[in-house]
Amino acid sequence: MSPPSTGALVLAATPIGSHRDASESLRSLLADADIVAAEDTRKFGTLLRRLQVAAGGRVVSFYEGNEEARTGELLDAIAAGRTVALVTDAGMPSVSDPGYRIVRACIERDLRVTALPGPSAVLTALAVSGLPTDRFCFEGFLPRKSGERRARLTLLAAETRTMVFFEAPHRLAGFLTDAAEVVGADRAAVVCRELTKPYEEVVRGTLTSLREWATGGVRGEVTVVVGGAGEQRTGVDDALELVAARIEDGEKLSSAVRGVADATGANRKELYEAALAARKDTA
């Protein structure tokens, strides 16, 4: 991967195992970036030696202890047109590693954030989204039919973790429409299109604004990241509706109650007794 023509923060995943797994894109970036911000400069130096690559730019430390103080310096460099590569000891920056704060800061200053090609669009999209990365879940492709899709989204409405979805480009507008109506029109979300490819596009907003953006049609591979619900407890009546939806999908009562209670904070015993009572009333 050649450095971007304008300033950018490049999230660069490093091998989680052998250095032999490093891509040519990673080698090129480390050699050409203006600045490499490394979680541990000593471990990064070891990686460079194993890759037989010389860092072409300045190498600075970027770890939990100095992340806040260093971010401003790196943002100024990006704003001045420089390429800043962010690497951690292993794996993807921002996912349980330093990176989330600087990604958010770049977004706030309207600076470009991208990532090297990696093994998973899930982690790549999550890392560049700017949404919380400490807890997340991957939901894959939801059902194609709107009714079935809305039923699944109803089960996820109270999910407090950041959610990652895959979606076909021709179904994206429908997905966003259902999500806005079921999960919440003002819920923060990010659509990532053609990640790590020449026509990469990352669009941030609410589910409503993204729905309007997608109405004109979207092409390419799409990953959608949706912010989690605020921490709150759901009443038994509302939780019962979620249990009923799970049972309609074929889940057993005990499993449905356990899943809804864990997701919503509803009291499991009270919910189970209410579900049994509801079942008797409809028998």
Side-chain angles (χ1 to χ4, degrees):
M1 175 180 180
S2 300
S5 57
T6 58
L9 173 68
V10 184
L11 305 176
T14 52
I16 59 175
S18 171
H19 68 279
R20 297 182 181 86
D21 295 331
S23 67
E24 286 301 318
S25 293
L26 177 62
R27 295 170 186 268
S28 296
L29 177 68
L30 298 181
D32 297 337
D34 299 298
I35 301 173
V36 177
E39 182 179 10
D40 186 319
T41 55
R42 290 172 297 180
K43 291 183 179 180
F44 177 65
T46 300
L47 176 63
L48 288 178
R49 289 192 294 273
R50 289 175 175 172
L51 296 179
Q52 297 183 337
V53 172
R58 186 162 57 101
V59 177
V60 300
S61 62
F62 189 82
Y63 58 95
E64 185 176 358
N66 74 347
E67 188 175 5
E68 182 175 353
R70 183 78 76 183
T71 292
E73 170 192 340
L74 297 179
L75 292 181
D76 289 342
I78 296 168
R82 295 184 176 88
T83 298
V84 174
L86 178 61
V87 299
T88 52
D89 294 344
M92 173 63 77
S94 185
V95 181
S96 297
D97 276 325
Y100 171 69
R101 291 183 180 88
I102 192 172
V103 169
R104 285 299 315 167
C106 283
I107 293 169
E108 290 170 1
R109 287 185 55 172
D110 200 25
L111 298 174
R112 185 183 175 200
V113 180
T114 187
L116 288 186
S120 172
V122 176
L123 292 184
T124 302
L126 180 67
V128 303
S129 72
L131 295 174
T133 59
D134 53 339
R135 296 177 65 246
F136 67 93
C137 60
F138 175 54
E139 291 295 324
F141 287 93
L142 294 192
R144 298 183 179 186
K145 295 182 179 179
S146 178
E148 296 174 358
R149 184 165 58 223
R150 290 170 70 91
R152 283 280 300 278
L153 287 167
T154 297
L155 299 178
L156 296 170
E159 175 59 67
T160 58
R161 295 173 294 179
T162 298
M163 297 170 281
V164 184
F165 303 86
F166 286 160
E167 190 52 274
H170 62 280
R171 293 197 299 267
L172 178 61
F175 168 90
L176 293 171
T177 295
D178 288 339
E181 294 179 6
V182 175
V183 175
D186 295 327
R187 185 77 66 92
V190 181
V191 174
C192 302
R193 187 182 69 83
E194 294 290 90
L195 280 170
T196 76
K197 299 177 183 178
Y199 296 103
E200 174 186 284
E201 186 176 21
V202 179
V203 185
R204 302 177 177 89
T206 64
L207 285 170
T208 296
S209 66
L210 292 174
R211 173 185 61 189
E212 295 171 353
W213 166 80
T215 300
V218 175
R219 300 177 66 181
E221 300 288 336
V222 174
T223 305
V224 183
V225 186
V226 178
E231 294 284 353
Q232 58 183 2
R233 297 181 69 87
T234 301
V236 172
D237 290 342
D238 292 333
L240 269 177
E241 295 182 8
L242 299 178
V243 170
R246 286 193 177 213
I247 292 174
E248 288 178 3
D249 284 343
E251 194 169 351
K252 292 182 178 180
L253 175 62
S254 58
S255 175
V257 168
R258 182 172 59 252
V260 171
D262 290 344
T264 65
N267 183 284
R268 184 183 299 184
K269 182 179 179 181
E270 292 179 2
L271 182 57
Y272 186 76
E273 292 174 350
L276 285 178
R279 174 175 284 185
K280 292 179 180 177
D281 290 342
T282 59

